[in-house]
Amino acid sequence: MAHPTRRAVLVGAAAAGLAACDNSVGSGGAANIDQQVGQTLSFMYNNIPETKALSETASGLLVMPAITEAGLFVGGSYGEGALLINDLTVDYYSATQASVGLQVGAQRYAHTLFFMTPEALRDFRTSPGWSGGVDAEFVVSDTGGSFGTNTEISGKSVIAVFFAQSGLRVGATVAGTKYTRVLR
């Protein structure tokens, strides 16, 4: 009789933990995602007013209303959102991330990617699976809650803003996150 290895137990525990997290954004199709995106934008604009001006100068926004992330040495995250151009939804995307290392806990958070140039937006839209982290400027909270930020970030083609964090895990990043277009 084969006994499970420690690695198999850890991978299974991480997968079960991630599966147990409720990420209901993806369950209702396009209408539910659009509703969540609208609520997320209202929350962001009300709690981080500088993002309103940032969105007005951006070529497009990718709004991810709820990313669920969990890990116990092996971790992962998943969420779905919408790409907006001129305040209109043009596509839907999923965000997935896997990680290995010293990590314990789970959290949910929202984030918005601001594509500051038409070229950055084009590169994102034409990529078969865009990975965040290389050219993005990250604006994150030190406390894990909502925060204010200075939006005068020059020279960056993509700006990621994280907000509305909850849970028992520290940190959030798009580094290593793969964004893939999904049909809804």
Side-chain angles (χ1 to χ4, degrees):
M1 174 178 216
H3 295 288
T5 65
R6 190 178 331 187
R7 179 185 291 165
V9 171
L10 290 174
V11 169
L18 188 57
C21 293
D22 175 29
N23 192 359
S24 56
V25 170
S27 65
N32 190 36
I33 293 172
D34 290 339
Q35 178 185 12
Q36 293 292 324
V37 164
Q39 292 171 347
T40 300
L41 286 173
S42 292
F43 179 88
M44 182 180 69
Y45 295 150
N46 288 332
N47 290 280
I48 314 167
E50 299 92 342
T51 59
K52 183 66 175 166
L54 189 62
S55 70
E56 291 169 356
T57 61
S59 295
L61 308 174
L62 180 66
V63 182
M64 304 303 288
I67 300 292
T68 302
E69 185 175 48
L72 178 62
F73 301 108
V74 176
S77 67
Y78 183 79
E80 292 184 355
L83 178 65
L84 305 174
I85 299 175
N86 297 323
D87 295 324
L88 298 173
T89 299
V90 295
D91 285 315
Y92 297 96
Y93 284 83
S94 68
T96 56
Q97 182 181 46
S99 57
V100 177
L102 185 58
Q103 56 187 315
V104 175
Q107 72 175 345
R108 279 175 62 106
Y109 58 91
H111 75 264
T112 300
L113 298 180
F114 295 83
F115 296 96
M116 301 309 296
T117 65
E119 296 80 19
L121 180 60
R122 183 194 65 235
D123 290 347
F124 177 78
R125 294 190 76 196
T126 59
S127 166
W130 189 82
S131 293
V134 177
D135 293 324
E137 174 73 24
F138 303 101
V139 181
V140 296
S141 168
D142 293 336
T143 61
S146 298
F147 63 97
T149 181
N150 177 1
T151 59
E152 293 181 16
I153 301 170
S154 62
K156 295 297 179 182
S157 58
V158 181
I159 299 171
V161 177
F162 294 86
F163 52 97
Q165 291 176 300
S166 65
L168 299 172
R169 193 161 190 267
V170 177
T173 180
V174 297
T177 301
K178 184 174 182 179
Y179 296 90
T180 306
R181 186 176 302 148
V182 294
L183 300 175
R184 292 287 174 244

